[in-house]
Amino acid sequence: MASLSMDCSPTFCVPGLWNPFIIFHSRSSRRRRRLHSLGLAAMPEKRPFERLPADVSPINYSLCLKPDLLDFTFEGKLEAAAQVRQATNQIVMNCADIDIITASYAPEGDEEIHATGFNYQNEDEKVTLSFPSTLQTGTGTLKIDFVGELNDKMKGFYRSKYTTPSGEVRYAAVTQFEATDARRAFPCWDEPAIKATFDISLVVPKDRVALSNMNVIDRKPYPDDENLVEVKFARTPVMSTYLVAFVVGEYDFVETRSKDGVCVRVYTPVGKAEQGKFALEVAAKTLPFYKDYFNVPYPLPKIDLIAIADFAAGAMENWGLVTYRETALLIDPKNSCSSSRQWVALVVGHELAHQWFGNLVTMEWWTHLWLNEGFASWIEYLCVDHCFPEYDIWTQFVSADYTRAQELDALDNSHPIEVSVGHPSEVDEIFDAISYSKGASVIRMLHDYIGDKDFKKGMNMYLTKFQQKNAATEDLWESLENASGKPIAAVMNTWTKQMGFPLIYVEAEQVEDDRLLRLSQKKFCAGGSYVGEDCPQWMVPITISTSEDPNQAKLKILMDKPEMNVVLKNVKPDQWVKLNLGTVGFYRTQYSSAMLESLLPGIRDLSLPPVDRLGLQNDLFSLARAGIISTVEVLKVMEAFVNEPNYTVWSDLSCNLGILSTLLSHTDFYEEIQEFVKDVFSPIGERLGWDPKPGEGHLDALLRGLVLGKLGKAGHKATLEEARRRFKDHVEGKQILSADLRSPVYLTVLKHGDGTTLDIMLKLHKQADMQEEKNRIERVLGATLLPDLIQKVLTFALSEEVRPQDTVSVIGGVAGGSKHGRKAAWKFIKDNWEELYNRYQGGFLISRLIKLSVEGFAVDKMAGEVKAFFESHPAPSAERTIQQCCENILLNAAWLKRDAESIHQYLLQRKASLPTV
């Protein structure tokens, strides 16, 4: 599944919205005392939970569903071929929001036994079918007739609202089963290790499209109603319930065949088939790439990719029928921006990787979810790099995934990659940046440590050995260990079974012609130094480069102890030495003053590679947030990026300055940091200009949008004037803005606009035919500064004009837009909590909403207020998020107390020393 946080590849960074894992830091011991006083230092006890008994298991599900698209109900008939492994008089299955009408079991060659009772355990989402006599060991058929509701909660079998080209509102029936919601569509053994085959039939209106995992094998009139047809699909391979899918609605499609002969289709809203062509092209290139990489063919005859109007996640990898948000699949050649193309390419790459890694071989239990998601989040970049080398996508990985995971994982309330999961309410919590982004980052580090050849060999061994079965993390390590001969399990257990990551401190000494390095490792903490009893240790693959060849590792070592001395042969005194070539190792580096001084010229003259310039700056920023170095030192380093040409380096700088701006919005010198932003970004803004130049490509378009958005938001006079002029021409139809300029222009005019500007934006939103454009507008509405307009935007967020899943980014945009917006958004959430919680039913959107809305606060008492609110308004699936948010608020407050005055003095001195214009 593509997480929602992946749906954040904008052309500019809005603090608290685009970077949902913002964290601020303070010194450890004081902070831990405050965490304990607020009761934030430990997660609550887990709810008791038992997996399903193993006495009866399915072999095949024959399932027929008949959805009613007007009454929002469905009827179902299940005939499951089952195996009784141990004699019993009851069958326990998963079942939620379903009413069973009749149930019976017929042992093979014997008479049917009717169930005499259905005992629903709603808390555990189970049903126990009781039988009057014992079911003996052997095979038989379990029959269940049932009814359910096509809910509006974007999970299970649910309804999705869309508008026809003629303007009529209608509903599709669609599914989202991961992690534990197949049980809302039919009674089943809803655990990933309980695999079976599926024969699915759908009874649907004859003018609707019906899709499922497999190809259609029969379509015939339904005997009871001439307006309906029964559509039968081919039998699936052995698979888990969470990967089953069906869709009933109105769609157009484009199709092609991959070079391996697989039929690939992209289903779009009616009249928008053209917008499916880009994803179709990516999918057709991606399937053969994965087939060659894994050396295992795609096992189904077809794959459909379909855009769903109301969809909570980014996308879902259902085997053979992958569902997407419209914005994660549809590209309009004229009206889609460059970041949207890149986002679609990454999400298609992610979901198609799951067809092998997750679907063919499935995790044994949700504890190993990270293996699914971390792997797909890594290989999607490998795939996009293959399809679009011009995207420089691996540099972007560091900013999008690696640094974000480190921000979250430095918290006391982080969690290990492998989390013991029991009750269904706990599963949604681990669809976070640890499972996805840290998972992807440690796999990237592992791939680099092993080498591509042995990594591919190990992957093939793993997929071949476990195909159509289930596996645990240890099984993958074993295959990779066998392929490479390296101690994979020993190394990787230090990264997956304990939370956090190390800070490597390094100092150097010239010894004749050699350089002696002294390395030490300690857990990196958001609040400064680690204060626990036994400091965790990691086995760290470390690469070391020098200025002699900045792109090659001079030495590779495995640091497997707390301290280590390393000798680099033949390094001249004037050469710099850098750890973590390519920012691949999942650790932060703190250099001695002398080593850091020697590296800084490499930023100015660009002799350090882009990804190393980014990593160096990001490490320094994090050290400042943790109180290990002064924030002023980082501001000085940021000024060295004056010649920087690389989009991703600017993107990371932009996000960090955004975090600092959010922090300083709590002071009376917010305008001074905006002046600093303008000074840093003006030179690159002037070099780029507003219009593309001949020969420019994808990354130039991304950079232009980023820089203009940053300058416009900060109130850069020339940028603001030009944005207003272009916006006026756009609205009047004189000169339509290019898609890449819309976000920065919309943001700029709203931030410095009035009620008329907001009304024009809302009108553009209403007129927009494309979801990408609606989302683009929704995400910048929070930039408005006037209190009554902020209230208007918040009211709009819950209106019919905004799709349910997008309400979160509108409210988050308000919280990230200004100090007043943050307070107003938090009050709005409290006032409308019942409606919001009911809408998202405890899924990961509720966690995201909380994170975006409260994490920018920087006053100690707000942590207490947030904690108190959620104690009286429980959100079980967001418990960890709430803990993290409260911790962050305390860290912000400590950072502000510690560094605000020195930052203010530096900005004033800097201003005084600048020449006046």
Side-chain angles (χ1 to χ4, degrees), residues 229-538:
V229 290
E230 183 174 0
V231 183
K232 285 191 175 179
F233 300 90
R235 177 168 290 188
T236 70
V238 173
M239 62 188 280
S240 303
T241 47
Y242 80 89
L243 294 167
V244 174
F246 17 91
V247 174
V248 181
E250 295 175 279
Y251 300 94
D252 285 345
F253 67 86
V254 286
E255 74 175 328
T256 188
R257 281 197 179 271
S258 73
K259 71 177 189 189
D260 303 319
V262 178
C263 177
V264 185
R265 285 184 176 181
V266 175
Y267 283 85
T268 73
V270 173
K272 296 186 177 179
E274 177 83 5
Q275 294 178 19
K277 285 185 174 174
F278 178 74
L280 185 72
E281 175 196 331
V282 175
K285 281 184 184 173
T286 297
L287 283 175
F289 171 75
Y290 287 144
K291 181 206 160 200
D292 293 344
Y293 195 86
F294 298 132
N295 198 18
V296 173
Y298 174 72
L300 305 189
K302 64 93 176 175
I303 188 158
D304 298 327
L305 294 74
I306 185 165
I308 305 294
D310 295 324
F311 197 76
M316 175 63 211
E317 68 267 19
N318 316 299
W319 214 357
L321 176 58
V322 187
T323 45
Y324 294 78
R325 275 190 179 205
E326 289 187 5
T327 48
L329 191 68
L330 304 181
I331 291 295
D332 181 325
K334 286 201 179 108
N335 293 301
S336 287
C337 60
S338 301
S339 60
S340 291
R341 282 173 191 276
Q342 181 176 297
W343 166 231
V344 167
L346 283 168
V347 180
V348 169
H350 181 101
E351 303 309 332
L352 296 196
H354 277 311
Q355 306 302 304
W356 284 262
F357 206 96
N359 300 9
L360 183 65
V361 177
T362 310
M363 72 231 147
E364 194 278 331
W365 184 246
W366 300 109
T367 298
H368 307 283
L369 170 81
W370 86 272
L371 203 55
N372 260 17
E373 298 303 349
F375 184 85
S377 298
W378 168 76
I379 205 167
E380 70 186 62
Y381 282 86
L382 198 71
C383 170
V384 168
D385 192 47
H386 165 78
C387 295
F388 303 99
E390 69 276 15
Y391 285 9
D392 183 29
I393 203 73
W394 280 116
T395 306
Q396 294 193 57
F397 174 90
V398 174
S399 183
D401 282 271
Y402 172 99
T403 58
R404 199 178 77 198
Q406 288 190 335
E407 286 163 10
L408 184 60
D409 204 27
L411 293 177
D412 289 349
N413 284 293
S414 181
H415 63 85
I417 282 179
E418 286 188 64
V419 181
S420 175
V421 172
H423 196 275
S425 67
E426 295 165 16
V427 180
D428 276 337
E429 276 201 283
I430 56 171
F431 284 90
D432 66 358
I434 300 298
S435 295
Y436 283 79
S437 298
K438 183 181 180 182
S441 298
V442 299
I443 286 171
R444 174 171 169 256
M445 177 172 69
L446 174 64
H447 174 265
D448 186 69
Y449 172 59
I450 293 176
D452 190 59
K453 186 181 170 191
D454 284 346
F455 189 86
K456 282 162 86 166
K457 185 175 157 192
M459 289 306 310
N460 173 259
M461 288 163 66
Y462 171 79
L463 288 170
T464 304
K465 182 176 179 181
F466 293 100
Q467 60 185 317
Q468 299 199 354
K469 299 192 187 90
N470 296 79
T473 303
E474 292 71 26
D475 297 314
L476 178 60
W477 297 163
E478 187 183 341
S479 295
L480 291 171
E481 204 157 289
N482 289 338
S484 67
K486 292 185 173 179
I488 305 304
V491 172
M492 294 308 292
N493 284 344
T494 68
W495 297 97
T496 65
K497 292 188 184 298
Q498 59 185 5
M499 75 179 198
F501 58 92
L503 171 66
I504 307 290
Y505 179 74
V506 55
E507 53 188 15
E509 183 187 336
Q510 189 73 24
V511 181
E512 296 177 350
D513 293 336
D514 304 333
R515 193 77 56 91
L516 170 67
L517 302 183
R518 294 187 185 88
L519 310 178
S520 59
Q521 62 161 299
K522 208 164 191 186
K523 183 180 188 298
F524 179 73
C525 295
S529 55
Y530 182 77
V531 293
E533 295 279 307
D534 300 313
C535 190
Q537 296 291 312
W538 286 263

Side-chain angles (χ1 to χ4, degrees), residues 656-690:
N656 288 341
L657 278 170
I659 290 164
L660 201 53
S661 293
T662 300
L663 184 76
L664 299 179
S665 69
H666 298 276
T667 69
D668 55 5
F669 60 92
Y670 177 71
E671 286 310 314
E672 271 87 346
I673 193 69
Q674 298 314 300
E675 290 301 316
F676 181 85
V677 169
K678 286 186 270 188
D679 289 346
V680 170
F681 278 83
S682 291
I684 182 73
E686 282 167 26
R687 287 203 298 274
L688 284 167
W690 279 80

Side-chain angles (χ1 to χ4, degrees), residues 836-877:
L836 288 163
Y837 188 72
N838 186 45
R839 175 180 285 200
Y840 303 123
Q841 285 286 300
F844 46 78
L845 280 174
I846 207 79
S847 294
R848 183 171 170 77
L849 177 68
I850 295 165
K851 184 177 275 287
L852 291 179
S853 302
V854 305
E855 215 167 38
F857 286 115
V859 183
D860 282 356
K861 68 171 183 158
M862 279 307 302
E865 184 181 314
V866 170
K867 178 176 181 282
F869 178 79
F870 288 111
E871 277 177 351
S872 57
H873 301 80
S877 68

Side-chain angles (χ1 to χ4, degrees), residues 747-764:
L747 175 77
T748 302
V749 298
L750 268 169
K751 175 83 190 273
H752 307 282
D754 55 16
T756 308
T757 317
L758 179 61
D759 287 342
I760 293 170
M761 288 304 307
L762 293 175
K763 188 178 173 190
L764 286 177

Side-chain angles (χ1 to χ4, degrees), residues 162-217:
Y162 64 97
T163 307
T164 66
S166 65
E168 185 188 342
V169 171
R170 289 185 185 165
Y171 290 85
V174 303
T175 56
Q176 169 59 40
F177 290 164
E178 190 177 23
T180 57
D181 291 314
R183 62 193 67 174
R184 293 176 201 284
F186 57 101
C188 56
W189 289 264
D190 198 11
E191 295 181 359
I194 307 179
K195 289 189 167 187
T197 57
F198 291 81
D199 294 305
I200 290 171
S201 301
L202 297 172
V203 177
V204 302
K206 63 184 180 186
D207 60 349
R208 297 292 194 270
V209 172
L211 300 170
S212 188
N213 305 82
M214 296 297 288
N215 49 301
V216 175
I217 54 170

